[in-house]
Every structure is written in C-alpha cells, then in structure tokens.
Amino acid sequence: MARFGPTHALILLLCFLALGSGLFLAGTPLPTVFALLGGLGAIGAATLAAAGGGRRLIAVLAEAAVRGSAK
C-alpha cells in the first residue's frame, strides 16, 4: 500500500490551482472559489486522517471547525 508522499501532495496542489483558476476564469466570484477549495481541502484532510487512523487529528479538526463556525 502506497503512502501519501511529496508527489501526491504536488499533484493535489496542482489540481487545486487548476480548479481554482478554472472557476475564476469561468466567472465564479473569488470568495466562492476560496470557500469551495477550502471545503474540498477539509474533506481531503479528514479522509486522509481517517484512512491513516488519526482519530486525534480528526477530533482536533472537528473542534477547530466548530470553534470557527461559532464566531
């Protein structure tokens, strides 16, 4: 089973940049682009943490999300 490495991170970074650029060029407002990419990043981080057995990391991410939405 392959681990998440620098090559995977680079591919994800390039995909995020391409998706964000494409959305912006299509006329999507910039705050919406940032919100969409932020949501996708959070989902990806939670998926990687769950697959890696990082229950503590998931708890920290959930706590940060709850505190961030309470403001």
Side-chain angles (χ1 to χ4, degrees):
M1 182 174 178
R3 292 192 172 256
F4 185 77
T7 305
H8 298 106
L10 178 63
I11 291 170
L12 286 176
L13 176 66
L14 293 175
C15 288
F16 264 55
L17 291 173
L19 179 61
S21 298
L23 286 170
F24 181 72
L25 291 175
T28 307
L30 202 53
T32 305
V33 171
F34 289 144
L36 289 171
L37 292 179
L40 289 174
I43 291 170
T47 303
L48 285 173
R55 291 186 180 170
R56 172 79 177 128
L57 178 59
I58 292 174
V60 169
L61 287 174
E63 182 180 350
V66 169
R67 287 186 181 186
S69 65
K71 290 183 179 181

